[in-house]
Amino acid sequence: MSDDEQAGGAADDAPEKPAGGRSSDADDKKADDKRSGDRKAGDRKAGDKKAGADKKQAKDGKRQARDDKSRDDEGEDDDEKSAEAEAEDEEDEREKERERAAGRFKAYTRDPLAEDQGEDGPTDLAAAARTRRATRLLFDVGRDLHRFDRSYFNNAHIGDINLRLGARRFGAGMRSGPVPEDELRRLRRAHVEPEGYVRLRTALRARRLLVLGAAPGTGRTSTALSLLDEVTTSAANGTGTGPDAEPPAGSRVLRVDPDGGVRQLAVSLDESRGGEGEEARAGVGYLLELSLTRPGALPPDEMDLDELAAALARCEAFAVIVVTVGSAANPLLAGRYGMICPPAPTEELLATRLRERLEEHAAGAGEDGTAPADLLARAERVADREEVRDAVGLKDLRPAEAEVFASLLAGHVLGDVSRDALLDGCRSLAAVQAQEWFAGVDRALTARPAETERGDRNPGRPGTATLFHPVAFRIALAVLGGASHSAVAAAAHLLTWELSVQSDPDSTPARPLFCDDPEADRALSRAELTEGRVEVDGHEVPARLIWYRGSALPSAVLTELWDRHFPVRAPVVRWLRQLADDPRDQVWMRAAVAAGELCVRDFDHGYTELIRPLAEATTNRRLIFAATTLDQAAGHASHRKAVHRLIGDWSKKGTPSQRWSAAWALGYGNAAATMDDTLDALARIGIRDEGELVTVASHNVVRLLVLPDAAEVLARMAEWTHHKREPYQDLGLAATVRLALTTVDELLMDPDSLGDDSDSPWADRGDWPVALALAAIRPELVEPMADLMWTALNTARSKDVAMDALEELLRSAVRKDGTEWTRPGLAELLPALATEEHDRRRLDWLLRRMMSDPEKPLPDADARELWWLAVAPEERARQDGPRQDRRRQEWPGPHRAHPDRPRQEWPRQDRPRRERTREEERHG
């Protein structure tokens, strides 16, 4: 650094830069800082005007003196006078250049998102960081998305256990006819009654007709068959209800072809009256499964149901109509015959299925003489293992899933299923559910519409939006799980539009505005709502959050979507690009993490369609989206080297936008092979084009300080500040100032380190400045941080923003309610930062400026406490007694504490930075 860049003494006031914070005190502090900053800005403008006037007056005075002198000494040499004027002009030019350098450096410490959100507006880096940490929990490396060696399962034969792992379509081949007695017998033995089962049975017996609504796969058909079996058995025998009642001769439960509908069943019942089949119809139960999701399908109205109920009463028969919950079925379920079928309890369902399997495959005793009860206890212990629960990844098991899981556990305890086979089979459950959700959704739409036979050239296909909305909601929930319900619903509607246009590009999709059913969306997507909070412009507000009921479902849905349904990639890519522009951090950051997981499945396609276009965008949010997507891909060993090479190329010869994205990806710590390579790449980016990207490069250098290699990062920052080239110096100085201005929760990478139950030392320091958190957690880093801050405070172009940053550190010692905040960190850092009289005088001046602040005065006691934190231990011990009795005007600043003591007797430490020669100071 040049001589005129080395500054000593107290710095002038400079605009405040508020530090981030996430507690309520930090939020209030931000508001106070903004008001104080506005006031200071006004004071500085007035001061600048006054200083400018004084400077002009001084120049005029000098000029007048020169003129007077020239009149007095008319014979003076003209060359000497011109040299004097030239020297003054050179001094003025140097002063202007110093002001311009300070202004440029102040821009280097701005928030990287300031361009997108306004220079003076709040930015949401901390909220984005928290969103990323929460989202990565849904895509934890090692779950089914990454450990599958294939994307789908068909079936598996393990020992004497045959597992059908393909998409299940029970009853698809039997549209009409009697239910086999064997199936009813097994149902009586193994059916688990859901909550409210007795109420359903009472309603069916009283009304003869029941419309049962539930999501597919929840056991609704089994419950309907069980209800019909019980009421028909008791009606035929005239006995009580229950599974112990004797069934009558012949099958009494029939399935009805759904194509005929409710009216045809009522007509057939009336036609049988008085004929030969009347006696056969008495006491029979009819099961009718209606599909209301097909385009053009209309639900029966209330009059149709009344007619059917009357016909059933005349024949003394019963009927259960099973429908899928949703907007189409709402009128049926809201009527007099409609009721919701709750799912069977998971634990009881699994225990029943497991007991049944063990009885089938180990009748009496196992091969080693183990009794079935012991085998059951052993299987339950296996099911409770953490690795097994994680592999299943579902909170609630549906009946078919319970059967598969029970078969796997039974085979494992019997010795037929290995541990790896058990875990693979457990992971298949979520994959099979995803296959069922997407299999043949648009099959009805791909058929040639009937209108084309009548010569209509563009008949359109009505109902596309209604058909695609459930799958769009599942995809949106997989991408945005944990966000607010409104955000997921809005994203689902955007995707519904994209899917509809992709399926039928010649028609404009229409969607009714008042057909949403949140309860149906939850049921059809196995989702749950929880009360939580989301961030809006840095402030938390209450919200209803929505999640999958199972950690394995998000990955399973994205895997199924990307690997088995290629035509859907185009609309999903367009949709993700729209989410990248969403201003809410809970949306765009979650979408970026999910996009990274999709790129892992097919990196070539993901890079071409998502990463590269977004990395060449003009908005910083899109550039961060691309960087986060790359970092998520780099978290997988299979793609890590490819991402390293890509980021290295961007840092060397990429466009400015690509270098910006590369810098942000490097800040995550996974985009280069070593920390040394990471810092080299950030330095290349930061110094290129006269420091055009110093802002983003310095920010991401600080992000690396929360990693274990923080000492290496600080050492490299020191090398940069001592470099002979100014761009390197600016990079090191900007990173140093950011070290004091940035809070931990904007940077932290570990998703578990800020949890309430985390043992990490960072856990309760989310709103601490990084410098003070590091000082408290890793005291060995105090000296290098203090040296860096000393350099920033004593360099002309950085001293103003560095002084403001130091003020923010001092004000964070205690919270507004008086409780301790960052005081332990200050107790470590301040003594290392104020070891000489020069440094203490600056601290004394800053504390007095803070005390005299008219809007936010620092209390006398707090200022005194901060001073005593900074003095050396022996100095604190010397003055520990009388300091409590001194009045404010006697507060012991360094120039007043010992007026009779020589300067050289101040306690000091031998530090390399103080031993640098003047020539070394000149060159940094």
Side-chain angles (χ1 to χ4, degrees):
M1 305 175 196
S2 60
D3 293 340
D4 56 1
E5 285 181 329
Q6 298 296 329
D12 296 332
D13 287 354
E16 262 187 0
K17 181 175 181 65
R22 286 291 160 243
S23 66
S24 58
D25 298 289
D27 294 336
D28 295 338
K29 181 173 174 290
K30 275 189 173 183
D32 292 342
D33 288 345
K34 186 177 186 305
R35 290 191 295 269
S36 178
D38 295 341
R39 177 195 59 75
K40 288 184 178 181
D43 293 344
R44 287 175 186 137
K45 287 181 181 178
D48 292 343
K49 290 181 179 178
K50 184 177 185 302
D54 294 342
K55 186 181 295 185
K56 184 176 183 301
Q57 184 177 0
K59 288 182 179 179
D60 293 341
K62 289 181 180 179
R63 190 178 295 109
Q64 183 66 33
R66 288 199 304 268
D67 294 341
D68 294 342
K69 185 176 181 180
S70 64
R71 285 193 298 269
D72 294 340
D73 304 325
E74 293 180 357
E76 188 175 0
D77 187 72
D78 292 340
D79 293 338
E80 183 178 348
K81 288 191 288 186
S82 82
E84 205 176 297
E86 184 177 346
E88 292 180 359
D89 292 340
E90 289 178 357
E91 178 64 26
D92 293 342
E93 185 61 31
R94 282 196 296 270
E95 179 66 24
K96 291 179 182 179
E97 178 58 31
R98 281 194 291 268
E99 293 176 357
R100 286 193 293 268
R104 287 195 302 270
F105 187 84
K106 182 180 179 182
Y108 293 158
T109 59
R110 290 196 321 168
D111 195 311
L113 282 180
E115 295 180 8
D116 290 347
Q117 303 183 14
E119 182 176 355
D120 299 325
T123 56
D124 304 320
L125 285 177
R130 280 189 289 274
T131 299
R132 177 178 177 271
R133 290 193 295 268
T135 306
R136 284 172 64 89
L137 293 175
L138 300 178
F139 302 107
D140 187 18
V141 174
R143 291 205 182 277
D144 56 321
L145 180 60
H146 321 297
R147 291 172 64 178
F148 281 164
D149 58 354
R150 54 197 181 280
S151 299
Y152 57 91
F153 295 82
N154 288 326
N155 56 67
H157 189 78
I158 306 172
D160 60 348
I161 302 174
N162 187 25
L163 305 181
R164 185 170 181 268
L165 302 178
R168 297 176 289 270
R169 292 290 183 272
F170 297 108
M174 184 181 295
R175 298 181 62 84
S176 182
V179 178
E181 185 58 34
D182 291 343
E183 183 176 343
L184 293 176
R185 188 179 300 112
R186 180 181 178 278
L187 188 65
R188 297 185 196 105
R189 183 179 68 254
H191 181 256
V192 177
E193 297 179 356
E195 183 181 359
Y197 180 82
V198 175
R199 184 168 56 89
L200 297 176
R201 186 178 59 201
T202 302
L204 176 60
R205 182 177 292 110
R207 301 169 186 166
R208 299 280 177 173
L209 176 62
L210 181 65
V211 178
L212 198 62
T218 56
R220 58 183 187 174
T221 302
S222 298
T223 299
L225 288 174
S226 179
L227 289 170
L228 291 172
D229 183 50
E230 287 195 35
V231 296
T232 55
T233 299
S234 61
N237 292 343
T239 61
T241 61
D244 296 332
E246 274 301 319
S251 177
R252 312 297 294 182
V253 180
L254 303 174
R255 286 189 176 93
V256 180
D257 189 348
D259 290 340
V262 171
R263 293 183 180 179
Q264 183 173 335
L265 178 58
V267 170
S268 64
L269 288 174
D270 284 335
E271 289 177 351
S272 66
R273 293 183 64 236
E276 296 180 358
E278 181 178 3
E279 183 177 351
R281 296 276 186 176
V284 174
Y286 298 94
L287 174 63
L288 180 62
E289 297 185 61
L290 291 182
S291 177
L292 303 178
T293 59
R294 295 178 300 175
L298 298 176
D301 55 29
E302 196 75 7
M303 292 181 62
D304 295 331
L305 296 178
D306 290 338
E307 182 180 353
L308 177 57
L312 291 168
R314 289 192 290 268
C315 294
E316 298 182 356
F318 303 89
V320 177
I321 300 175
V322 176
V323 296
T324 300
V325 292
S327 57
N330 282 345
L332 294 177
L333 298 176
R336 66 175 65 93
Y337 304 102
M339 298 188 75
I340 296 295
C341 178
T346 296
E347 294 183 1
E348 186 178 352
L349 182 66
L350 178 60
T352 302
R353 296 293 184 265
L354 187 57
R355 187 181 301 109
E356 181 185 4
R357 291 294 184 270
L358 291 173
E359 290 175 353
E360 290 177 358
H361 298 284
E367 295 180 1
D368 58 353
T370 306
D374 295 334
L375 291 174
L376 178 62
R378 188 190 305 171
E380 290 176 345
R381 288 195 297 270
V382 172
D384 287 337
R385 293 177 184 170
E386 183 177 0
E387 62 176 356
V388 175
R389 292 198 307 269
D390 289 343
V392 172
L394 300 171
K395 287 188 177 181
D396 303 314
L397 291 178
R398 292 181 171 180
E401 295 163 351
E403 290 184 10
V404 174
F405 189 33
S407 298
L408 289 167
L409 290 174
H412 183 67
V413 297
L414 291 173
D416 296 328
V417 179
S418 66
R419 171 185 172 276
D420 291 340
L422 170 66
L423 296 179
D424 284 343
C426 291
R427 295 188 192 102
S428 73
L429 298 177
V432 170
Q433 173 65 93
Q435 290 181 33
E436 291 182 3
W437 277 342
F438 294 99
V441 171
D442 57 352
R443 190 173 298 146
L445 295 178
T446 57
R448 186 178 180 86
E451 289 82 354
T452 58
E453 300 177 359
R454 297 194 299 266
D456 190 349
R457 295 183 180 180
N458 187 20
R461 291 183 291 188
T464 55
T466 302
L467 183 68
F468 285 132
H469 180 69
V471 294
F473 191 88
R474 292 163 188 154
I475 298 171
L477 185 57
V479 172
L480 304 179
S484 63
H485 180 261
S486 61
V488 174
H493 279 289
L494 288 176
L495 183 55
T496 299
W497 175 275
E498 294 292 345
L499 295 175
S500 301
V501 171
Q502 184 77 13
S503 175
D504 190 9
D506 296 331
S507 301
T508 301
R511 178 161 180 78
L513 299 179
F514 300 97
C515 66
D516 277 3
D517 185 355
E519 295 297 325
D521 289 339
R522 287 171 50 198
L524 295 176
S525 302
R526 301 183 72 164
E528 63 179 344
L529 287 172
T530 60
E531 296 298 326
R533 305 182 73 82
V534 297
E535 292 194 32
V536 178
D537 284 341
H539 302 279
E540 290 189 343
V541 295
R544 298 170 65 204
L545 310 182
I546 187 166
W547 310 77
Y548 270 117
R549 291 188 60 80
S551 58
L553 286 173
S555 296
V557 167
L558 296 183
T559 300
E560 171 71 13
L561 180 74
W562 217 242
D563 288 358
R564 291 171 56 87
H565 305 282
F566 191 84
V568 84
R569 290 189 180 187
V572 169
V573 165
R574 294 194 300 267
W575 175 66
L576 288 173
R577 289 181 183 177
Q578 294 180 62
L579 297 186
D581 295 325
D582 195 292
R584 294 167 294 183
D585 298 281
Q586 61 168 325
V587 174
W588 69 268
M589 181 54 76
R590 282 184 166 87
V593 174
E597 292 299 316
L598 292 177
C599 289
V600 171
R601 310 302 304 179
D602 187 348
F603 192 82
D604 174 55
H605 186 273
Y607 175 77
T608 304
E609 299 294 333
L610 270 175
I611 296 176
R612 184 167 181 171
L614 292 174
E616 295 175 349
T618 57
T619 61
N620 291 350
R621 185 179 290 110
R622 281 198 163 201
L623 301 181
I624 296 177
F625 191 103
T628 304
T629 300
L630 279 173
D631 174 73
Q632 191 68 17
H636 302 267
S638 57
H639 292 73
R640 190 168 297 134
K641 290 184 179 180
V643 174
H644 292 175
R645 290 193 293 268
L646 179 64
I647 294 298
D649 291 342
W650 282 3
S651 67
K652 295 175 184 176
K653 52 188 177 183
T655 65
S657 296
Q658 289 175 341
R659 296 199 305 273
W660 203 104
S661 295
W664 199 274
L666 289 163
Y668 286 119
N670 298 321
T674 64
M675 181 59 70
D676 191 58
D677 293 339
T678 300
L679 293 170
D680 285 342
L682 284 171
R684 284 195 300 270
I685 295 171
I687 68 170
R688 186 170 172 179
D689 297 334
E690 298 182 353
E692 179 183 357
L693 299 180
V694 167
T695 300
V696 65
S698 61
H699 176 81
N700 285 282
V701 169
V702 175
R703 293 176 66 201
L704 298 172
L705 287 169
V706 298
L707 301 178
D709 300 324
E712 183 178 351
V713 178
L714 290 173
R716 183 67 69 89
M717 290 169 59
E719 291 179 11
W720 290 337
T721 57
H722 300 159
H723 201 279
K724 62 181 180 181
R725 292 180 57 190
E726 186 172 305
Y728 281 99
Q729 297 174 14
D730 286 341
L731 178 59
L733 292 171
T736 300
V737 174
R738 287 187 181 278
L739 180 62
L741 291 176
T742 309
T743 55
V744 171
D745 57 2
E746 296 180 59
L747 309 177
L748 209 59
M749 311 304 169
D750 182 7
D752 298 324
S753 58
L754 288 184
D756 295 335
D757 56 349
S758 173
D759 296 330
S760 169
W762 300 95
D764 57 348
R765 295 183 172 92
D767 57 353
W768 282 39
V770 177
L772 298 184
L774 283 173
I777 296 172
R778 302 183 61 178
E780 71 275 11
L781 302 179
V782 168
E783 286 295 325
M785 285 193 298
D787 284 340
L788 287 168
M789 294 187 67
W790 183 91
T791 303
L793 288 166
N794 287 275
T795 301
R797 61 182 179 273
S798 63
K799 67 177 182 179
D800 289 342
V801 290
M803 189 67 71
D804 288 342
L806 179 58
E807 179 178 343
E808 293 298 333
L809 295 182
L810 295 174
R811 289 190 182 277
S812 69
V814 294
R815 303 185 188 274
K816 283 194 171 183
D817 59 2
T819 58
E820 187 174 83
W821 190 356
T822 65
R823 187 181 182 280
L826 286 168
E828 296 288 341
L829 184 62
L830 286 181
L833 192 59
T835 59
E836 297 182 355
E837 181 184 5
H838 170 80
D839 304 324
R840 295 189 181 193
R841 286 181 179 275
R842 176 170 49 222
L843 178 62
D844 171 70
W845 173 85
L846 179 59
L847 288 173
R848 293 180 184 279
R849 187 183 81 172
M850 294 166 62
M851 293 169 60
S852 60
D853 191 325
E855 289 192 7
K856 214 171 42 169
L858 183 69
D860 185 17
D862 292 349
R864 189 182 296 112
E865 182 68 22
L866 289 170
W867 171 256
W868 289 110
L869 283 179
V871 299
E874 59 270 21
E875 187 69 22
R876 187 184 306 128
R878 180 189 300 272
Q879 300 188 16
D880 207 20
R883 70 175 184 181
Q884 302 295 337
D885 300 328
R886 293 191 176 98
R887 297 190 303 274
R888 176 169 179 168
Q889 59 270 26
E890 297 175 349
W891 170 55
H895 62 290
R896 305 179 67 175
H898 301 287
D900 56 342
R901 186 172 168 191
R903 279 186 170 186
Q904 60 270 24
E905 293 182 6
W906 280 93
R908 59 179 296 170
Q909 301 176 8
D910 293 332
R911 305 170 66 118
R913 72 181 187 210
R914 305 297 190 261
E915 304 300 329
R916 290 204 294 265
T917 64
R918 186 66 174 174
E919 185 65 18
E920 290 172 336
E921 295 277 355
R922 180 189 303 275
H923 296 290

